[in-house]
Amino acid sequence: IQKAVQDNRSSASSAATTATPTLLSAISIELDHDLVPPRIAAMVRELADATTADMVAEACEKLRVAARDSAEDRVQIAKARGIFLVVAAMKQYPDTAAVQEQACAA
């Protein structure tokens, strides 16, 4: 039994290291489009689904522009847990200047 458990752990560990992590793995997003406008939901989902630093930086930039241009968008981004995802992005890519710059500005 111990050998089976060790083999299972080993294969799970291998699978975990080969999978491409996304920010979505940090949070479960269930967006009710009646509560969050589809445009905002799409931007937050783009950030959550991003798999590279470049994709994350681009998604953060879109949120930054939306938040800059509208107080209501800032509220909706917060409702959609966008702030949590921006912070998660900063933690996931601490050495990527583009992510840090766009995330801080968002």
Side-chain angles (χ1 to χ4, degrees), residues 10-29:
S10 177
S11 65
S13 175
S14 295
T17 58
T18 59
T20 303
T22 66
L23 294 176
L24 186 58
S25 63
I27 184 175
S28 175
I29 296 180

Side-chain angles (χ1 to χ4, degrees), residues 35-55:
L35 300 177
V36 179
R39 180 178 62 82
I40 299 297
M43 284 189 273
V44 171
R45 176 67 61 187
E46 181 179 342
L47 177 55
D49 291 341
T51 57
T52 67
D54 288 341
M55 292 169 70

Side-chain angles (χ1 to χ4, degrees), residues 74-106:
R74 287 192 290 276
V75 170
Q76 297 303 324
I77 290 166
K79 281 184 183 178
R81 309 262 332 244
I83 296 169
F84 178 87
L85 287 171
V86 168
V87 171
M90 294 177 75
K91 289 179 181 179
Q92 187 167 340
Y93 296 100
D95 298 324
T96 305
V99 171
Q100 296 299 315
E101 180 181 347
Q102 294 301 330
C104 282

Side-chain angles (χ1 to χ4, degrees), residues 51-62:
T51 57
T52 67
D54 288 341
M55 292 169 70
V56 169
E58 186 176 321
C60 285
E61 181 180 15
K62 290 177 183 178

